[in-house]
Amino acid sequence: MSIFIDTLHGKETHRPPVWFMRQAGRISPTYRKLREQYSFQQLMSDPKLAAQVTLMPVSDFGVDAAILFSDILVIPQALGLEVDFPDSGPVFKNALCRQSTTQKLTYNPSKLNYIYDAIDEINRTKQDGFPLIGFCGGPLTTYLFMAQGTSSNHLFSEAIKYYYNNRSSLQRLLAQITDASIDYALKQCEHGISAFQVFETYGGLLPSEVYLKDVYPHVKRLIAAVKATGTPVIYFPKGLGTGLAHINDCGADFVSIDWQVSLPDARKMLDKHIGLQGNFDPRLLSVNDIQILDDALLPIIEYWKKNRNFIFNLGHGLTPDNTFDNVKHVIERIKTLNC
Ligand code: CP3
């Protein structure tokens, strides 16, 4: 059986499971080699290559779960927006903020078929029973990219201004993004993913009251649809801060915590039935002394000793400047815990 799936189902295990957001590609030399030959879009569109990159961190680092090699921006693509992935990050051709008359978006589900082919290929290739995490973006994060068109301004100021100017009419768009995400998530479940994560990476860019009123009901609908298939769900509302106290009815099995909230503080805000995932600061994975890493791991290990419904992960994703050796060291340290 899998220690990751056992933990998601609330079983006590002798150590926490470990996987990292953005573990596929990024810091792997084998991935860099592949990227010299293929663009990011080509890699994720070819089921064999996507399967190879998905499983790379499993053999490179020994993580306890694989995450599908794809992107949250495939939903805007399926809604009819054109997205390119140059090295500087994703770029939309027709971001909503820059359109003079708002383009009518229509969801074309067949545009996502290549991703289900990749899931089938991963399931054929991986070891039987090894968990595969499927995912989509949260409705706000997906909207912010669609409106702003790039993430070069991490505050998404234009997209937020556009949001406030069109708050009630944008409810329809959030609902449309959610409907497409539900269809996409349910098909991932049909094709045999073992768990599902909702990446609301930019959830903290709206005041938490606004997020909870306008966006959170859509998130709950998405999580409920996935949960109805029996698939465990992890919700990552990055930057929600004290808003965490108001998501106890989210329906997810686990909530992923960023590095701005300590695990004990998050534990106080979230009910016991919700497990915590997180929240090691990924910037520590760029330090040049292993001792710094070991010291930084201590509070998380102490937390785990008292709170077993826990998955070790980062407060956000790996970045290209994180070193292979540091990542390997942290994973090995977590995997030797035993009590
Ligand atoms: O472990 C994994 O990384 C699995 C696959 C995955 C990717 N993107 C592949 C990718 C996942 C889960 C995502 C999610 C995603 N994509 C999010 C939410 C989570 C997060 O990390 O914030 C967001 C906001 C995006 C949008 C996006 N895609 C950005 C901002 C970028 C550029 C910066 C970067 O590297 O993340 C991408 C490109 C992207 N998505 C790459 C990969 C491997 C880099 C492509 C490359 O140049 O090789």
Side-chain angles (χ1 to χ4, degrees):
M1 258 313 276
S2 145
I3 198 167
F4 173 71
I5 297 298
D6 281 351
T7 303
L8 278 176
H9 283 134
K11 287 194 200 139
E12 264 205 24
T13 52
H14 69 283
R15 66 161 175 91
V18 49
W19 71 281
F20 287 170
M21 288 186 257
R22 297 195 185 179
Q23 66 185 18
R26 302 234 178 37
I27 68 163
S28 159
T30 330
Y31 176 75
R32 293 270 162 76
K33 272 241 151 64
L34 274 178
R35 283 284 279 109
E36 284 167 18
Q37 271 182 66
Y38 303 101
S39 69
F40 174 66
Q41 184 75 50
Q42 281 172 325
L43 281 183
M44 71 165 172
S45 306
D46 180 311
K48 280 220 153 55
L49 291 170
Q52 187 190 340
V53 180
T54 299
L55 296 173
M56 231 175 239
V58 182
S59 44
D60 281 355
F61 305 122
V63 286
D64 293 312
I67 178 161
L68 176 66
F69 182 72
S70 182
D71 200 87
I72 62 165
L73 301 180
V74 298
I75 287 293
Q77 286 178 329
L79 286 168
L81 291 175
E82 229 179 280
V83 188
D84 288 329
F85 290 91
D87 289 345
S88 52
V91 180
F92 284 66
K93 221 185 199 134
N94 262 315
L96 303 183
C97 282
R98 278 188 285 287
Q99 295 182 2
S100 43
T101 50
T102 311
Q103 179 185 348
K104 194 175 162 334
L105 299 171
T106 312
Y107 176 51
N108 179 352
S110 69
K111 281 203 171 167
L112 301 169
N113 284 347
Y114 70 94
I115 299 170
Y116 314 124
D117 294 342
I119 296 176
D120 292 345
E121 181 61 24
I122 296 162
N123 282 329
R124 269 195 294 273
T125 325
K126 74 177 174 59
Q127 202 191 334
D128 232 15
F130 192 84
L132 171 65
I133 304 166
F135 69 91
C136 71
L140 180 65
T141 304
T142 309
Y143 157 77
L144 290 173
F145 276 94
M146 289 169 72
Q148 182 104 5
T150 71
S151 55
S152 52
N153 165 356
H154 287 288
L155 295 172
F156 287 88
S157 327
E158 287 172 74
I160 300 280
K161 189 167 68 181
Y162 188 81
Y163 185 80
Y164 281 131
N165 276 328
N166 301 281
R167 193 166 165 185
S168 61
S169 65
L170 282 173
Q171 275 298 313
R172 258 204 329 272
L173 177 60
L174 290 177
Q176 195 182 18
I177 291 170
T178 308
D179 290 343
S181 302
I182 289 174
D183 178 66
Y184 176 49
L186 294 183
K187 287 193 182 125
Q188 292 185 43
C189 295
E190 268 170 42
H191 283 260
I193 56 162
S194 334
F196 189 81
Q197 176 155 321
V198 180
F199 282 91
E200 191 71 285
T201 306
Y202 292 101
L205 290 189
L206 281 177
S208 63
E209 301 98 296
V210 179
Y211 180 83
L212 291 168
K213 181 163 188 289
D214 289 10
V215 188
Y216 181 59
H218 298 290
V219 176
K220 279 203 288 189
R221 193 158 64 83
L222 166 63
I223 293 174
V226 180
K227 280 295 289 174
T229 69
T231 310
V233 177
I234 305 168
Y235 174 31
F236 177 44
K238 185 169 182 289
L240 197 59
T242 52
L244 287 172
H246 303 283
I247 60 163
N248 277 302
D249 61 349
C250 65
D253 302 272
F254 272 63
V255 167
S256 204
I257 307 298
D258 58 56
W259 63 77
Q260 278 151 305
V261 177
S262 75
L263 291 171
D265 283 346
R267 189 65 286 166
K268 280 183 212 138
M269 287 186 270
L270 288 160
D271 290 348
K272 279 277 171 271
H273 69 274
I274 300 177
L276 300 191
Q277 173 177 275
N279 72 343
F280 197 66
D281 185 344
R283 291 159 299 189
L284 284 160
L285 294 167
S286 303
V287 297
N288 46 24
D289 180 354
I290 291 286
Q291 192 57 47
I292 301 174
L293 282 180
D294 284 338
D295 290 348
L297 283 169
L298 288 177
I300 300 196
I301 294 171
E302 279 313 303
Y303 171 83
W304 167 74
K305 286 183 182 159
K306 297 189 206 99
N307 301 274
R308 291 311 178 94
N309 50 350
F310 175 63
I311 297 169
F312 186 92
N313 203 311
L314 306 176
H316 190 190
L318 287 179
T319 52
D321 61 326
N322 296 149
T323 73
F324 199 83
D325 288 347
N326 283 349
V327 172
K328 222 177 155 95
H329 177 79
V330 166
I331 291 170
E332 275 161 14
R333 178 77 190 89
I334 297 302
K335 287 179 83 173
T336 54
L337 292 174
N338 191 350
C339 75

